[in-house]
């Protein structure tokens, strides 16, 4: 097998993205899969050792990747998002972090038997959770918005604080244990932290100003942002190690709250880069661990420390810091349990292990082992339990995938009613109260607002909805909605009514290939669908069984019937489009828009009389 660095880079990419795909395919926590694959490829099978093979480039690569990930996460920290959550987020990020530091340090000293210096350093380090572990968990768990936002804000804000707290603890210990104490190092550290925050703010303001005033062409915006992020991180980090994380967090938050449209346009691109980096560095970090480090994990003191951190320190710090807030007991219980440690803890622990070792602390070698033990245990435990616990505490949005319909008219209202009858969540969004009158009269859930406005983004919770249908009378607007929300919902889950116009025999004013799959058939525009309803077409539900197959249904149906969607027993739907082939199976329910007439009566009579020899009930074919 080739042993070149190039081959190893290729292997890291394949294993990282392969782990992400396997986690998505089999509904497993991605960070758990990546950790296990990294251990298999590294210390267990010996396929690679990135730390040894990359040499001096290993730590800079990891550091830059963490900086980009943290910056990308902080771009989502708009202050508008935490309306009503400011107090819990502030308490957890300050009082909660401080309590976690003190309690964690005491636990490390008395249970893991670390010296006071190593204990307070590792205690500061372990207050972090971070976007590398929190974001994948939030994507998989479908938490309600409130606890999800708190976990996200805590993870991104506390990440640099934890690293700085570890540095601060080391500086304090060094000052107190020195023969000739000199407070200049502490003053330098505090000054460097303030400088890093100001530097990040200035970089964010500077690049935001350039974007707003047109001093940066579109094709250079993403490269320019990444270059400034790396420069901002490096400049701060050179002055005092780990202050670079504070700088990029400040830069991201500054840009997030400037309201620059081009930043929002680039966010999805940066999310993709972030996923690639998370996959790569998780594989690199776990593959670089040594076998003796893994074996030390089973030491009773280390195992006891990990259990106390999970079951005592974290819950206690959350419950004490949130006294007097409006968080419910269930929310506190979930927040008190979910605190997986990730990339920042693993990377920074290696730095402090070497620093403490050079300072003469013999227990410094245990820091890496304890860090890996806590990281791997929390990643596995919280990764597999967050969904189950959220459901038990009624904080999960689990259920049948819903459909968000943009545009209120006769067809969309009737479509929403049919979805309600198969117990699928549905919501109609429109900016016109007049158009929403039909939805209100039909008892269909609705939201009054402009789908593309920033206000709607913060007021409308889109988490319960897996599918989106743009069905207004404006074809260009439908295409724009699909393009905007395609990254959030996925290319295969965003649909639009056909822009086809019979009078022009064309696709109207919108190119067919613009984002959003065309529903049903390209000849069926919204006008045509509404026209069918005015001609007394009805929504009909047909059960596909072993006795009445899909092939039989196709042979029996009226030629003017419009096939709409198929509801699976699992609750997932398949909408009919010209690009996606839908083949219902036994147990599925097929919903169609069916014309009235004698043929339907014949079909219903035939279905009613069709029974098996065993006396099964007739196939269900009913009007909705």
């Amino acid at each position: 097998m080739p042993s070149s660095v190039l081959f190893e880079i290729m292997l890291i990419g394949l294993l990282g993205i392969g782990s992400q795909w396997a986690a998505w395919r089999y509904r497993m926590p991605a960070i758990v899969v990546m950790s296990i694959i990294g251990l298999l490829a590294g210390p267990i099978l010996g396929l690679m050792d990135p730390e040894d093979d990359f040499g001096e480039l290993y730590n800079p690569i990891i550091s830059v990747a963490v900086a980009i990930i943290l910056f990308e996460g902080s771009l989502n920290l708009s202050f508008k998002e935490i309306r009503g959550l400011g107090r819990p987020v502030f308490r957890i990020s300050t009082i909660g972090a401080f309590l976690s530091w003190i309690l964690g340090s005491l636990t490390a000293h008395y249970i893991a038997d670390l010296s006071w210096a190593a204990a307070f350093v590792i205690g500061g380090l372990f207050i972090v959770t971070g976007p590398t572990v929190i974001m994948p968990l939030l994507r998989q768990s479908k938490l309600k918005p409130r606890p999800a936002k708190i976990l996200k804000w805590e993870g991104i804000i506390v990440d640099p604080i934890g690293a700085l707290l570890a540095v601060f603890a080391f500086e304090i210990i060094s000052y107190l244990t020195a023969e000739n104490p000199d407070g200049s190092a502490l003053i330098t550290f505090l000054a460097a932290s303030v400088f890093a925050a100001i530097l990040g703010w200035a970089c964010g303001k500077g690049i935001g100003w350039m974007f707003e005033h047109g001093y940066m062409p579109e094709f250079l915006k993403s490269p320019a942002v990444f270059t400034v992020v790396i420069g901002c991180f490096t400049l701060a980090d050179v002055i005092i190690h780990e202050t670079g994380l504070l700088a990029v967090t400040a830069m991201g938050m500054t840009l997030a709250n400037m309201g620059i449209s081009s930043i929002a346009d680039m966010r999805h691109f940066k999310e993709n880069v972030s996923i690639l980096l998370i996959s790569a560095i998780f594989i690199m970090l776990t593959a670089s661990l040594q076998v003796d480090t893994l074996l030390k994990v089973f030491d009773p003191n280390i195992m006891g420390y990990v259990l106390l951190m999970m079951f005592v320190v974290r819950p206690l710090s959350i419950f004490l810091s949130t006294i007097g807030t409006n968080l419910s007991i269930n929310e506190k219980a979930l927040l008190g349990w979910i605190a997986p440690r990730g990339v920042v803890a693993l990377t920074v622990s290696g730095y402090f292990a070497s620093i403490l070792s050079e300072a003469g602390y013999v227990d410094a070698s245990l820091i890496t082992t304890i860090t890996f033990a806590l990281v791997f245990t929390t990643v596995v435990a919280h990764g597999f339990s967050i969904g189950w616990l959220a459901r038990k505490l009624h904080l999960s949005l689990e259920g049948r995938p819903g459909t968000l319909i943009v545009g209120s008219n006769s067809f969309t209202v009737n479509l929403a009613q049919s979805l309600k009858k198969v117990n699928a969540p549905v919501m109609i969004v429109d900016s016109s109260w007049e158009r929403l009158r039909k939805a209100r009269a039909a008892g269909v859930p609705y939201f009054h607002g402009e789908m593309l406005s920033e206000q709607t983004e913060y007021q409308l919770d889109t988490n319960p909805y897996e599918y989106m249908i743009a069905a207004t009378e404006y074809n260009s607007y439908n295409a724009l909605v699909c393009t905007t929300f395609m990254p959030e919902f996925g290319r295969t889950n965003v649909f639009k009514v056909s822009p086809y116009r019979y009078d022009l025999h064309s696709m109207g004013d919108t190119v067919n290939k613009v984002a959003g799959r065309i529903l049903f058939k390209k000849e069926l525009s919204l006008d045509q669908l509404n026209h069918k309803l005015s001609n007394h077409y009805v929504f009909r539900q047909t059960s596909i069984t072993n006795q009445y197959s899909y092939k039989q249904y196709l042979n029996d149906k009226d030629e003017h019937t419009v096939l709409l969607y198929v509801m699976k027993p699992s609750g997932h739907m398949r909408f009919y489009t010209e690009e996606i082939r839908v083949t219902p199976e036994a147990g599925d329910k097929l919903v169609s828009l069916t014309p009235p007439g004698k043929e339907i009566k014949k079909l219903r009579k035939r279905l009613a009389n069709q029974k098996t020899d065993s006396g099964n009930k007739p196939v269900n074919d009913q009007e909705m």
Side-chain angles (χ1 to χ4, degrees):
M1 179 181 293
S3 58
S4 67
V5 173
L6 181 60
F7 177 82
E8 191 161 321
I9 292 173
M10 179 272 294
L11 186 59
I12 290 170
L14 287 177
L15 294 178
I17 298 303
S19 299
Q20 291 273 9
W21 179 86
W24 166 80
R25 180 66 178 82
Y26 299 104
R27 297 182 178 273
M28 297 174 65
I31 48 180
V32 175
V33 179
M34 289 186 289
S35 299
I36 294 174
I37 294 298
L39 290 175
L40 288 173
I44 296 177
L45 299 178
L47 297 178
M48 60 178 168
D49 184 354
E51 184 174 12
D52 183 60
D53 296 336
F54 289 167
E56 294 182 356
L57 289 177
Y58 177 79
N59 287 326
I61 289 172
I62 297 293
S63 297
V64 169
V66 172
I68 293 173
I69 293 167
L70 195 57
F71 168 75
E72 188 278 323
S74 63
L75 273 181
N76 297 309
L77 298 183
S78 172
F79 293 126
K80 294 179 181 179
E81 186 184 87
I82 58 168
R83 289 172 179 169
L85 296 178
R87 193 174 185 185
V89 169
F90 177 78
R91 290 276 198 88
I92 292 173
S93 302
T94 53
I95 299 173
F98 179 77
L99 290 173
S100 181
W101 177 38
I102 299 300
L103 294 174
S105 301
L106 294 174
T107 305
H109 177 70
Y110 289 108
I111 303 300
D113 201 27
L114 293 180
S115 63
W116 283 114
F120 271 92
V121 168
I122 206 171
L125 186 60
F126 285 164
I127 71 171
V128 305
T129 52
T132 57
V133 285
I134 284 296
M135 295 306 187
L137 287 188
L138 295 181
R139 277 194 292 268
Q140 84 175 53
S141 60
K142 293 186 177 180
L143 285 181
K144 288 184 177 180
R146 186 174 156 110
K149 289 177 182 178
I150 293 175
L151 284 172
K152 181 179 77 173
W153 274 78
E154 179 203 8
I156 297 172
I157 292 175
V158 175
D159 227 31
I161 293 176
L164 291 174
L165 200 56
V167 177
F168 178 71
F170 176 73
E171 296 292 347
I172 287 286
I173 295 296
S174 300
Y175 173 78
L176 295 176
T177 57
E179 294 182 2
N180 299 310
D182 183 6
S184 61
L186 286 176
I187 296 174
T188 301
F189 166 73
L190 294 174
S193 299
V194 173
F195 169 75
I198 295 175
L199 175 65
W201 172 84
C203 288
K205 280 290 186 181
I207 201 163
W209 179 84
M210 291 183 69
F211 285 4
E212 284 185 305
H213 291 81
Y215 290 110
M216 187 69 66
E218 290 295 325
F219 73 95
L220 280 181
K221 285 184 176 180
S222 290
V225 167
F226 279 113
T227 302
V228 174
V229 168
I230 295 171
C232 180
F233 169 79
T234 304
L235 185 58
D237 213 57
V238 165
I239 297 173
I240 292 290
H241 198 62
E242 302 309 329
T243 57
L245 297 179
L246 177 62
V248 295
T249 302
M251 178 181 169
M253 291 182 66
T254 301
L255 282 170
N257 290 279
M258 289 181 68
I260 304 172
S261 60
S262 54
I263 295 297
D265 295 339
M266 290 189 293
R267 183 173 292 139
H268 297 298
F269 168 71
K270 290 190 286 292
E271 285 176 356
N272 294 335
V273 173
S274 181
I275 289 174
L276 178 62
L277 292 175
I278 289 173
S279 305
I281 59 179
F282 249 101
I283 296 294
M284 290 174 65
L285 288 170
T286 51
S288 298
L289 293 169
Q290 303 300 315
V291 175
D292 59 338
T293 301
L294 300 180
L295 296 178
K296 289 179 184 177
V297 168
F298 299 101
D299 182 276
N301 289 345
I302 294 178
M303 294 178 68
Y305 169 76
V306 170
L307 293 175
L308 283 174
M309 287 291 290
M310 294 172 63
F311 291 98
V312 178
V313 173
R314 170 67 178 185
L316 194 58
S317 63
I318 290 294
F319 274 88
L320 290 177
S321 64
T322 55
I323 292 175
T325 65
N326 59 354
L327 294 181
S328 66
I329 293 296
N330 285 0
E331 288 172 327
K332 291 181 181 180
L334 181 70
L335 297 175
W337 170 243
I338 301 301
R341 277 64 170 189
V343 169
V344 171
L346 279 174
T347 54
V348 180
S349 66
Y351 165 75
F352 282 110
S354 61
I355 293 295
L356 288 170
S357 180
E358 291 174 2
Y361 294 96
V362 295
D363 56 354
S365 60
L366 290 175
I367 289 182
T368 303
T369 300
I370 293 175
T371 303
F372 171 73
L374 187 63
V375 168
F376 188 76
T377 305
T378 54
V379 161
V380 173
H382 299 157
F384 280 109
S385 65
I386 185 171
W388 173 85
L389 183 61
R391 289 190 294 271
K392 290 294 182 182
L393 296 175
H394 307 292
L395 297 174
S396 173
L397 295 171
E398 285 289 349
R400 287 177 177 265
T403 303
L404 196 62
I405 303 175
V406 181
S408 178
N409 49 67
S410 295
F411 173 74
T412 58
V413 169
N414 279 273
L415 178 63
Q417 285 182 307
S418 76
L419 291 168
K420 281 186 64 179
K421 289 179 181 178
V422 293
N423 299 318
V426 64
M427 173 80 73
I428 290 181
V429 180
D430 204 301
S431 59
S432 167
W433 279 112
E434 176 62 26
R435 289 193 294 267
L436 283 172
R437 182 172 54 84
K438 293 182 179 180
R440 297 197 303 272
V444 173
Y446 64 89
F447 178 87
H448 177 246
E450 169 54 58
M451 192 65 217
L452 296 176
S453 75
E454 186 180 12
Q455 196 69 18
T456 299
E457 180 182 351
Y458 296 113
Q459 292 180 352
L460 177 62
D461 177 22
T462 59
N463 285 322
Y465 308 104
E466 192 167 311
Y467 312 98
M468 171 175 275
I469 295 175
T472 72
E473 65 265 35
Y474 305 108
N475 297 323
S476 298
Y477 180 80
N478 294 338
L480 183 58
V481 168
C482 292
T483 302
T484 302
F485 288 92
M486 184 185 67
E488 180 176 341
F489 286 84
R491 186 177 298 273
T492 59
N493 290 352
V494 176
F495 308 92
K496 63 186 176 187
V497 292
S498 174
Y500 184 87
R501 294 174 59 186
Y502 273 99
D503 56 339
L504 298 178
H505 300 285
S506 69
M507 296 301 289
D509 59 351
T510 305
V511 179
N512 186 21
K513 297 300 181 182
V514 174
R517 297 179 185 273
I518 295 177
L519 277 173
F520 320 132
K521 297 179 181 179
K522 70 176 184 179
E523 295 84 4
L524 286 172
S525 65
L526 182 62
D527 288 341
Q528 292 296 316
L529 292 168
N530 283 324
H531 181 69
K532 289 181 182 296
L533 287 174
S534 65
N535 285 335
H536 308 294
Y537 275 60
V538 295
F539 282 76
R540 190 173 300 281
Q541 179 188 122
T542 304
S543 296
I544 303 300
T545 66
N546 291 324
Q547 290 74 37
Y548 188 70
S549 66
Y550 180 53
K551 184 176 181 180
Q552 289 176 286
Y553 171 81
L554 292 178
N555 291 331
D556 292 338
K557 75 176 181 66
D558 186 280
E559 62 177 344
H560 299 294
T561 294
V562 179
L563 303 179
L564 302 177
Y565 63 88
V566 171
M567 175 66 70
K568 297 286 183 181
S570 63
H572 285 82
M573 291 180 289
R574 297 289 183 270
F575 287 93
Y576 279 88
T577 73
E578 292 193 339
E579 297 173 301
I580 302 177
R581 181 179 179 182
V582 180
T583 307
E585 301 172 345
D588 295 346
K589 296 182 185 298
L590 189 155
V591 177
S592 59
L593 186 60
T594 308
K598 296 181 180 180
E599 294 298 322
I600 299 301
K601 294 180 181 179
K602 291 180 180 179
L603 176 61
R604 294 183 67 182
K605 183 177 180 180
R606 177 179 175 179
L607 293 174
N609 293 330
Q610 185 175 5
K611 297 181 180 180
T612 62
D613 295 335
S614 59
N616 286 340
K617 292 182 179 181
V619 178
N620 182 26
D621 180 52
Q622 57 183 355
E623 184 177 321
M624 302 184 73

